[in-house]
Amino acid sequence: MARKGGTRERVYEYVRKRILEGTPPTVREVQRELGFRAVQSAQEHLDALVASGRLEKVGRVSRGYRLPGSNGTASFVPLLGSVQAGELSEAIENLDAYVAVDHDFGDRRGFALRVRGDSMIDAGILPGDIVIVCEQPDAENGEVVVALVDDEATVKRLRVRNGRVELHPENRSYPVIVPAGPLRILGRVVEVRRYLESDIRPT
Amino acid sequence: MARKGGTRERVYEYVRKRILEGTPPTVREVQRELGFRAVQSAQEHLDALVASGRLEKVGRVSRGYRLPGSNGTASFVPLLGSVQAGELSEAIENLDAYVAVDHDFGDRRGFALRVRGDSMIDAGILPGDIVIVCEQPDAENGEVVVALVDDEATVKRLRVRNGRVELHPENRSYPVIVPAGPLRILGRVVEVRRYLESDIRPT
DNA sequence: GAGTATACCCGACATATGTCTGATTTAATA
DNA sequence: TATTAAATCAGACATATGTCGGGTATACTC
């Protein structure tokens, strides 16, 4: 294999590795890692990486280097085992299970929900799967949503037919749900996850 | 003892929030956030939280507070669009798409792979899904693996029958693969993901 | 009341850390 | 050769930061 790139590249690799590990390095840690005898050498490489857009930094604070873009800035959303009626914010309180997501929800909040039942199995959503949900009060036709049906959160595909909102399961064994009154939508499913090993599954 | 809404709890909430955002706070940042007039007040709360096991800290370094356990320490694994023959490590080089995972792979490395084809559709793995893989050279009977078949990476369920290794698709339209020679296993699938929106999908 | 524990405060020290000014080396170029 | 730009080094400064010793007030226990 060809020899690894120059010093600039090694600085970038090290900083990225540290950021990914959760602790961005200080300037002097970069200096020591790369074997520089002057702080300034590390500083200039970092400045150059920031100038070229490969790194970002926040003000004059320690360990202030980040990876640009939405990537690299992982956030966590609370995992709800099940959502009964009532306020969603109450269900989110006092949770200590979180799952990492690598995109943000803009102004809205996000949460995760464990799927019960096999009503969406034809859409590749199996019992026990975890859906990442963007909290919002309405949704478009065809989107997979989390809605409150009989005081319990359920995952279904939303269809608008003849001006009426319907919740379609993706399993021929289940009937289409036509809400009598107004439908309470908790959010829109943006991601589906399945953990195949018990020891890495969130509690 | 610790009453709900107490100062101790507010300190914990703030520190956790900051850690999840990627930048653990300094002692003085905690002080300012909570309105303490003395650094020591924040320090003592932090010490207490560490003593009770709700926080962890690394040495005398700045921003050294962590959330205990594997949870909270998100890492990133490289996303491979496809894996052809040859060394996996080469395919991992020069990737700038990463996905966040909230568990670690121990001594092993992890990577992500975009699934092609619908051969695992009955296992709820659809075309375009992303599998998180723990890199390892072998696997147990019944595990979903990534293996090299005809110089291309493929996702199948591994079965051992009569002492012979077989790769089983989960789709009746596809035949069982019985490797002629030794089977090259790239890793074991530990997680399946599906992004339902194009704008949050990793490149 | 004496003792004790908790929570908060004050002031301080040694080191860590971001940043700056200027010099030296190195390599490519006119 | 002289010039120029990049990379590295040297030394320093102001502030940030972890840590420490000791103080005050309140509540509770004996």
Side-chain angles (χ1 to χ4, degrees), chain A residues 47-64:
Chain A
D47 289 345
L49 288 169
V50 170
S52 64
R54 304 185 64 189
L55 288 180
E56 282 177 359
K57 74 171 301 191
V58 289
R60 308 174 140 245
V61 304
S62 64
R63 308 178 186 279

Side-chain angles (χ1 to χ4, degrees), chain A:
Chain A
M1 174 160 61
R3 174 123 177 77
K4 212 55 195 275
T7 309
R8 174 78 33 96
E9 217 55 30
R10 287 178 48 211
V11 171
Y12 174 71
E13 292 297 333
Y14 174 65
V15 175
R16 187 179 68 178
K17 167 169 159 284
R18 290 292 306 271
I19 295 178
L20 263 37
E21 287 173 358
T23 310
T26 65
V27 181
R28 280 172 179 83
E29 283 174 350
V30 176
Q31 173 199 355
R32 279 193 295 272
E33 173 70 18
L34 273 292
F36 290 129
R37 307 175 68 177
V39 196
Q40 186 66 4
S41 304
Q43 180 97 60
E44 284 176 3
H45 276 112
L46 290 169
D47 289 345
L49 288 169
V50 170
S52 64
R54 304 185 64 189
L55 288 180
E56 282 177 359
K57 74 171 301 191
V58 289
R60 308 174 140 245
V61 304
S62 64
R63 308 178 186 279
Y65 290 93
R66 299 295 128 81
L67 292 178
S70 60
N71 202 347
T73 57
S75 63
F76 287 76
V77 297
L79 171 63
L80 283 45
S82 66
V83 177
Q84 311 289 353
E87 279 308 307
L88 188 62
S89 47
E90 291 180 8
I92 294 180
E93 297 289 333
N94 296 344
L95 259 288
D96 37 20
Y98 283 79
V99 295
V101 298
D102 40 16
H103 61 91
D104 70 317
F105 298 89
D107 295 336
R108 299 199 174 90
R109 290 186 304 177
F111 65 95
L113 180 69
R114 191 176 297 279
V115 175
R116 294 157 177 262
D118 56 357
S119 66
M120 290 296 283
I121 203 166
D122 288 341
I125 304 178
L126 277 51
D129 283 5
I130 289 173
V131 288
I132 312 295
V133 187
C134 177
E135 188 176 355
Q136 58 182 57
D138 43 45
E140 300 289 319
N141 181 35
E143 291 181 333
V144 179
V145 300
V146 175
L148 216 49
V149 175
D150 292 337
D151 280 356
E152 184 146 4
T154 183
V155 179
K156 295 286 181 295
R157 191 177 298 276
L158 187 138
R159 295 274 180 210
V160 180
R161 209 151 54 171
N162 303 332
R164 286 193 59 90
V165 175
E166 299 176 347
L167 294 177
H168 283 235
E170 305 250 331
N171 183 337
R172 293 168 216 83
S173 319
Y174 288 77
V176 173
I177 298 174
V178 182
L183 179 63
R184 171 86 186 283
I185 294 180
L186 297 181
R188 171 178 46 100
V189 174
V190 297
E191 188 180 332
V192 182
R193 287 191 194 183
R194 183 177 315 129
Y195 295 91
L196 301 185
E197 308 219 320
S198 55
D199 56 329
I200 65 167
R201 201 169 323 175
T203 314

Side-chain angles (χ1 to χ4, degrees), chain A residues 16 20 23 62-63 66 71 74 98-100 102 123-124 188-197 200, chain B residues 4 16 20 23 62-63 66 71 74 98-100 102 123-124 188-197 200:
Chain A
R16 187 179 68 178
L20 263 37
T23 310
S62 64
R63 308 178 186 279
R66 299 295 128 81
N71 202 347
Y98 283 79
V99 295
D102 40 16
R188 171 178 46 100
V189 174
V190 297
E191 188 180 332
V192 182
R193 287 191 194 183
R194 183 177 315 129
Y195 295 91
L196 301 185
E197 308 219 320
I200 65 167
Chain B
K4 191 174 184 179
R16 187 179 67 179
L20 295 181
T23 310
S62 65
R63 309 179 187 278
R66 299 295 131 80
N71 201 345
Y98 283 80
V99 296
D102 40 14
R188 171 177 46 100
V189 174
V190 297
E191 188 180 331
V192 181
R193 288 193 193 180
R194 184 177 313 128
Y195 294 91
L196 301 184
E197 308 219 321
I200 65 169

Side-chain angles (χ1 to χ4, degrees), chain B:
Chain B
M1 197 58 179
R3 208 180 27 183
K4 191 174 184 179
T7 309
R8 174 79 30 98
E9 217 56 29
R10 286 177 49 211
V11 171
Y12 174 70
E13 292 296 333
Y14 174 66
V15 175
R16 187 179 67 179
K17 168 169 160 283
R18 289 294 305 272
I19 294 178
L20 295 181
E21 286 174 359
T23 310
T26 65
V27 181
R28 280 174 178 80
E29 283 174 350
V30 175
Q31 173 199 354
R32 280 194 293 271
E33 172 71 17
L34 273 290
F36 291 129
R37 308 175 67 177
V39 194
Q40 186 68 3
S41 305
Q43 180 99 59
E44 286 174 3
H45 280 293
L46 291 169
D47 289 344
L49 287 168
V50 170
S52 64
R54 305 184 64 190
L55 287 180
E56 282 178 358
K57 74 170 302 190
V58 287
R60 302 171 147 252
V61 304
S62 65
R63 309 179 187 278
Y65 290 94
R66 299 295 131 80
L67 291 178
S70 60
N71 201 345
T73 56
S75 63
F76 288 77
V77 296
L79 171 65
L80 283 46
S82 66
V83 178
Q84 311 289 352
E87 278 308 305
L88 187 61
S89 47
E90 289 181 8
I92 294 181
E93 298 289 334
N94 297 344
L95 258 289
D96 38 19
Y98 283 80
V99 296
V101 298
D102 40 14
H103 60 90
D104 69 318
F105 298 88
D107 295 334
R108 299 198 175 90
R109 290 188 304 178
F111 65 95
L113 182 69
R114 191 176 298 278
V115 175
R116 293 157 176 263
D118 57 356
S119 66
M120 292 296 283
I121 203 166
D122 288 342
I125 303 179
L126 278 50
D129 284 5
I130 289 173
V131 288
I132 313 294
V133 187
C134 178
E135 187 176 356
Q136 58 183 55
D138 41 46
E140 301 286 320
N141 182 32
E143 290 181 335
V144 179
V145 301
V146 175
L148 216 49
V149 175
D150 292 336
D151 278 357
E152 184 145 4
T154 181
V155 179
K156 294 286 181 295
R157 190 178 298 275
L158 186 137
R159 295 275 181 208
V160 180
R161 211 153 52 170
N162 302 332
R164 285 192 61 89
V165 175
E166 300 177 348
L167 292 176
H168 283 234
E170 306 249 331
N171 184 338
R172 290 168 219 85
S173 319
Y174 288 77
V176 173
I177 299 175
V178 182
L183 179 64
R184 173 85 187 284
I185 293 180
L186 297 181
R188 171 177 46 100
V189 174
V190 297
E191 188 180 331
V192 181
R193 288 193 193 180
R194 184 177 313 128
Y195 294 91
L196 301 184
E197 308 219 321
S198 56
D199 56 328
I200 65 169
R201 202 170 343 208
T203 316

